[in-house]
Amino acid sequence: MHRFANPARFLRLARPLTPALFWLGLLLALGACLWGLFAVPTERLMGDTVKIIFVHVPSAWLGMGGWMGIAIASLVQLVWRHPLAGIAARAIAVPGATFAAICLMTGSIWGRPTWGTWWVWDGRLTSMLVLFFLYLGYIALANASSEKGDTSRVAAVFGIIGAVNIPIINRSVIWWESQHQKASITLGGSSIDGAYLAPLFVAVAGFSLLFGALVLMRMRAALAEMRIDARMRRMADD
Amino acid sequence: MAHRKGVSTTLDTNGRWWFGMKPKHQRLVLALVAFVALIGAGFIAAAALKEEASYFYTPATMAKAKIEPGKAVRLGGMVQKGSIVRGADGVSITFIVQDRDATQKVAYRGITPDLFVEGSGVVADGRLRPDGVFVADSLLAKHDENYVPKELADIDMNTAEHTKDTLSK
Amino acid sequence: MPHLPFIIAAFSVTGVGMLWLTVSSYLAMRRSEALADDLRQQP
């Protein structure tokens, strides 16, 4: 892991990886959305609104996965002082928050015709909303860090503590009598028919690759800002 | 030179960008905002869950509770098989909500959610009429974790047999 | 209830979100990297 601690080495890898992840991700995500929109059968009870699953589930996965990324990067930052870890955690925050918001909104849109409501305060929906607020808190703390590219320890600690919400989201449909149905895809298998499962997997893969590309772009921006910062300081000293 | 001016503005985001506040104070304020947001979210959730608990009845608890007619409460249970009767006007509907021990007749006017079928879970907000019928202002239908294409569904289109076990617990 | 408006709304929300993320991240990266390269070339 420390092989990539060197920003120069990281950039040598990140520069070609960014467009590769982006275009492959875009291809898969767009393909899965078209597949999902035009080539899946109508669902028994929900009818055509089942198609919303192809944007709702990937955004839920990335909203939660993003916070796990922040938590792991924050841990690496605090324990091993890895110079890129704080930058990575910070780069994940805005895409993660956006996906959490997309998840909440598409879920709300899906809930109206199927459940009969835009919103209920059940365990799953509430804990997902809390995740969105945690992202906002993290972004505020990280942006208040004193140095460019250097994420404060307060933000890192917040990132790690906030991770307790992830298992709560995951278990919420079991712990509380909830409006949201229980998990469809578990380690034991899936109760989603193959006709929906195949494009769903492609959508999750595609959006994940796009997420990776976005994080790399943001890390590269932060590293460049750091270089500008250092250069300006040197010029000021002369 | 032109772009150097640009540099200084990008760098100043970490300087004094808030009413001339010192960076240290900015951090303090932002940390406070973050924690207030967190605690606020917790309170909202707690209040919502608490409210849920105090107004929620199943047909069995409703029969025992002697709720006065006109009081706003929430009724949850399962739509009894064969009990949905749609009115001639197309928007009125009556059905029976059941749990393991009791049943409750419900009347509703409006468009029902897509997942509202016989055998599905339902949550109704409304009040009891003096004649004992529960008049719902809104209906919530539950989904189970299964996603099945229409043409593959070997069970009756208008039922959701498999939700039974999740609700009768 | 008609389904099409809900499907269109959900996919639009996702599309707008992705577009905003992509454009803002890409522009931030390009601007900062160009500036950093410019500064390095200066004496």
Side-chain angles (χ1 to χ4, degrees), chain A residues 180-199:
Chain A
H180 196 285
Q181 72 280 5
K182 296 193 168 45
S184 293
I185 303 170
T186 56
L187 288 177
S190 158
S191 52
I192 300 180
D193 188 87
Y196 308 118
L197 200 59

Side-chain angles (χ1 to χ4, degrees), chain C residues 2-42:
Chain C
H3 288 162
L4 201 57
F6 292 96
I7 298 168
I8 292 171
F11 278 81
S12 307
V13 161
T14 311
V16 168
M18 288 306 296
L19 195 69
W20 172 76
L21 264 182
T22 307
V23 169
S24 64
S25 305
Y26 178 72
L27 287 182
M29 175 189 83
R30 215 179 53 169
R31 206 178 44 206
S32 301
E33 286 194 338
L35 209 58
D37 288 347
D38 263 15
L39 280 177
R40 198 176 45 190
Q41 268 144 36
Q42 277 177 19

Side-chain angles (χ1 to χ4, degrees), chain A residues 115 120-127 173 177-180, chain B residues 49:
Chain A
W115 292 348
V120 280
W121 291 100
D122 86 336
R124 173 58 66 83
L125 278 67
T126 308
S127 55
V173 286
E177 182 60 44
S178 71
Q179 174 67 34
H180 196 285
Chain B
L49 290 173

Side-chain angles (χ1 to χ4, degrees), chain B residues 28-93:
Chain B
L28 195 67
V29 168
L30 284 167
L32 281 175
V33 168
F35 284 113
V36 166
L38 233 180
I39 290 164
F43 269 115
I44 291 170
L49 290 173
K50 202 173 162 190
E51 195 187 347
E52 195 86 344
S54 63
Y55 293 110
F56 191 87
Y57 294 93
T58 65
T61 57
M62 187 168 260
K64 264 181 254 160
K66 290 200 173 67
I67 304 152
E68 57 207 85
K71 190 186 171 216
V73 290
R74 175 168 281 189
L75 170 70
M78 213 173 67
V79 183
Q80 196 175 56
K81 277 265 181 80
S83 71
I84 297 181
V85 179
R86 293 190 186 266
D89 58 357
V91 287
S92 297
I93 180 173

Side-chain angles (χ1 to χ4, degrees), chain B residues 3-4 6-7 10 111 114, chain C residues 1 3 31 35 38-39 42:
Chain B
H3 52 245
R4 201 168 298 162
V7 172
T10 54
I111 301 165
D114 291 343
Chain C
M1 209 169 281
H3 288 162
R31 206 178 44 206
L35 209 58
D38 263 15
L39 280 177
Q42 277 177 19

